[in-house]
Amino acid sequence: DQQVKQNSPSLSVQEGRISILNCDYTNSMFDYFLWYKKYPAEGPTFLISISSIKDKNEDGRFTVFLNKSAKHLSLHIVPSQPGDSAVYFCAARSGTSYDKVIFGPGTSLSVIP
Amino acid sequence: DTAVSQTPKYLVTQMGNDKSIKCEQNLGHDTMYWYKQDSKKFLKIMFSYNNKELIINETVPNRFSPKSPDKAHLNLHINSLELGDSAVYFCASSARTGFGNTIYFGEGSWLTVV
C-alpha cells in the first residue's frame, strides 16, 4: 500500500533548465510534505517542506507546489545545476502521527552539463 | 562534526548471526528513528523513540530490538539474521515530535547477510 508515489524513477535535465519532480499521495490526512535529497552512500538531507495550508513554498532555486484537490505536489529546481544530481524523495506525514513520515520511492535526477 | 553518526557503515555477516548497529546524535534532539531502505529503495520507518520511550514500532519482526540508553543514542540489535535483512539502515533524529519538525539522517549502515 504505497501512500506516497513518485512515478518517474529517473529524470534527465540539461544544466540551466528547469527540473520538475512529481509526487502523488493517496492519504487525505497528510498535512505536511517534505522533499529530501540523497547522494550515493550518504543519508537523505532535508531540502524543503510545505504545509497543507499553503500551495507554494520557495527557497532559493527550489520551489514546492501543492495541489491538495489533486493530491499532488511537485518540486521545481530552477536553474538546474550538475550538483543537483541526486535521488529526490517526496515524503508526507499526517496530523495523527507526526513522527511517522512516509517516503516515496524516490526519483533519480541527472543534470547534464 | 557529524550530527547523526552510525557505526558500522558496512557490515557483512552470515545468516543466523546476531549484530548491532550503533547510532548517536549530537544535536540535542529528543526523538530518534530507525529507517530501512530495502532493495527496491523504499525508505520505511521501523522504530521511533522519544526521550528513550518507544513511540512507533512498525510491525518489525521481534528479531529487531532497538535500545535507547539515553536520548542521544538509539542502537539497533538484530538477532538470527536472515538473507532478507540485507538492506541499508538509516538512523535519524528530530528536535521534537509534532508539526513541522525536520528529520536529520545519518549516513546509513549497509548490511549484507550471506
Side-chain angles (χ1 to χ4, degrees), chain B residues 52-105:
Chain B
K52 304 194 301 175
E53 182 184 342
L54 180 66
I55 302 296
I56 293 174
N57 181 342
E58 278 295 294
T59 58
V60 176
N62 290 338
R63 299 182 295 103
F64 290 78
S65 54
K67 286 188 172 46
S68 182
D70 54 62
K71 73 174 192 177
H73 296 83
L74 181 61
N75 304 322
L76 183 65
H77 189 76
I78 315 171
N79 289 327
S80 304
L81 278 156
E82 301 176 357
L83 292 176
D85 297 332
S86 297
V88 185
Y89 293 85
F90 289 98
C91 179
S93 71
S94 63
R96 55 177 170 81
T97 59
F99 191 82
N101 60 315
T102 298
I103 297 177
Y104 296 83
F105 285 86

Side-chain angles (χ1 to χ4, degrees), chain A residues 2 12 22 29 31 33 40 59 63 74 80 83 86 97 99 103 107:
Chain A
Q2 201 176 327
S12 287
N22 292 306
M29 297 298 292
D31 59 3
F33 304 89
D59 184 2
T63 303
S74 60
S80 301
S97 183
D99 290 315
F103 283 80
T107 295

